[in-house]
Amino acid sequence: MHIDRDVAPDYPLSWQARALTGLMRGTFKPAASLLMRHGLALDCAARIGELTRWVPLRPPEHVTITPTDLSACGGEWVRSAEGGDLDEGKVLLYFHGGGYFACSPGTHRSITWRLSAAARRPVLALDYRQGPVHKLADSLADALDAYRCLLERGHAAGDVILAGDSAGGHLTLATLLALRDRGAPLPGAAICLSPWADLTDFPRRANRWQDPMLSAGRIRWLARRWTSGLDPRDPLVSPVLGDFAGLPPMMIVTGSTEVLRDEARRVAVRAREAGVPVTYEEWPRMPHVFPLLADVLPEARHAFRHMAGFLDAVAAFRASGETAAA
């Protein structure tokens, strides 16, 4: 498998996908449009989101969840025994999505346990600080601290993979840029699922009506809130504007009807222009962060097999480079 390529998976659209996108269009999207209009409503949503930490989302029997205080903000280790033993010398550091104000490692276990199986290594799902109490800089500081902790525990940088979805995809890209700018050793690869990469104040027109889940206007409103007092063109605020030179191979997964699709494409283009190999996958008619729905969506389960293939290709790429250097 080649790393640097565009993929448009051509699986037949499942009836589950048709039903779910229709349901989202009629429920989640209008609810989110009403919610993200006032700071007070956002504060309430964040408080409600805290309650999800106490909802028992039980993973399959072959998955183990272990709370950790590895870094100041903590998180959980996720290990899936599906497909054989895990390489404990390697790790995947995962940043959950949720617009920087909602969700937690617990809400994203359907992604993290499958990534553990796909990467054949433990996953550290980071419980990083979020708004409205905390700032983007706090989330980034937590991500960098967790990465530093992994290296201090003896993990080689090349044996660490960074991954995240939506706002967590933003945090993945910002972390990569910050590590590179600080001269720190870089991870071996990164995976971004539906990354939110542009927080500048611009109107999103592509897929404005087609997206079954997210409102373009509400994303713009949220970006204004999180960038208040910041330069939105700072690459650590809007990673799509960054210089990607020297970063490790990336995989970017998005849906063709997402309102965030174009910024995912722009990340892929800018990274390639800087010499970074990128696997860019645009899945027809899939909603925002569709891998989160792998319990019910066949397409989402296929996507994890694609991620496993990408990581195998990265391992082979690294091995061939080491052989040539020897």
Side-chain angles (χ1 to χ4, degrees), residues 7-11 13 17 254-257 282-287 290 299:
V7 180
D10 58 355
Y11 299 103
L13 189 68
T254 188
S256 67
T257 55
E282 188 174 303
W283 288 67
R285 299 179 63 182
M286 286 297 103
F290 70 93
E299 293 90 344

Side-chain angles (χ1 to χ4, degrees), residues 71-148:
S71 61
C73 47
E76 61 184 31
W77 285 99
V78 182
R79 292 175 171 87
S80 171
E82 185 180 58
D85 295 334
L86 303 182
D87 187 341
E88 292 289 335
K90 300 179 179 179
V91 64
L92 188 149
L93 178 57
Y94 193 80
F95 309 127
H96 68 80
Y100 279 116
F101 71 93
C103 298
S104 69
T107 61
H108 282 61
R109 287 175 182 167
S110 63
I111 288 180
T112 52
W113 80 252
R114 288 180 171 88
L115 275 176
S116 175
R120 296 186 290 278
R121 65 186 70 193
V123 170
L124 173 59
L126 188 66
D127 194 11
Y128 59 90
R129 289 173 291 175
Q130 301 187 85
V133 176
H134 300 288
K135 307 296 184 183
L136 291 180
D138 297 322
S139 303
L140 179 58
D142 289 344
L144 293 169
D145 183 52
Y147 182 76
R148 178 186 56 80

Side-chain angles (χ1 to χ4, degrees), residues 25 42 45 105 147 179 187 197 205 261 264 274-275 296 306 316:
R25 194 181 302 278
L42 197 63
Y147 182 76
L179 288 171
R205 294 187 173 87
R261 179 202 62 195
V296 294
H306 287 220

Side-chain angles (χ1 to χ4, degrees), residues 153-222:
R153 281 176 54 131
H155 293 286
D159 290 334
V160 179
I161 297 167
L162 299 188
D165 67 277
S166 194
H170 176 281
L171 189 52
T172 299
L173 295 170
T175 300
L176 288 172
L177 293 171
L179 288 171
R180 191 271 320 278
D181 291 348
R182 297 180 184 193
L186 295 175
I191 298 175
C192 294
L193 310 177
S194 302
W196 185 25
D198 191 344
L199 273 64
T200 59
D201 187 26
F202 79 100
R204 290 173 172 84
R205 294 187 173 87
N207 289 334
R208 188 180 185 89
W209 308 114
Q210 291 88 343
D211 191 312
M213 184 175 175
L214 299 181
S215 162
R218 296 307 94 203
I219 292 173
R220 190 181 184 188
W221 178 86
L222 193 61

Side-chain angles (χ1 to χ4, degrees), residues 288-309:
H288 184 61
V289 193
F290 70 93
L292 185 62
L293 304 170
D295 289 342
V296 294
L297 272 189
E299 293 90 344
R301 294 190 288 274
H302 291 318
F304 284 100
R305 288 194 282 274
H306 287 220
M307 293 178 220

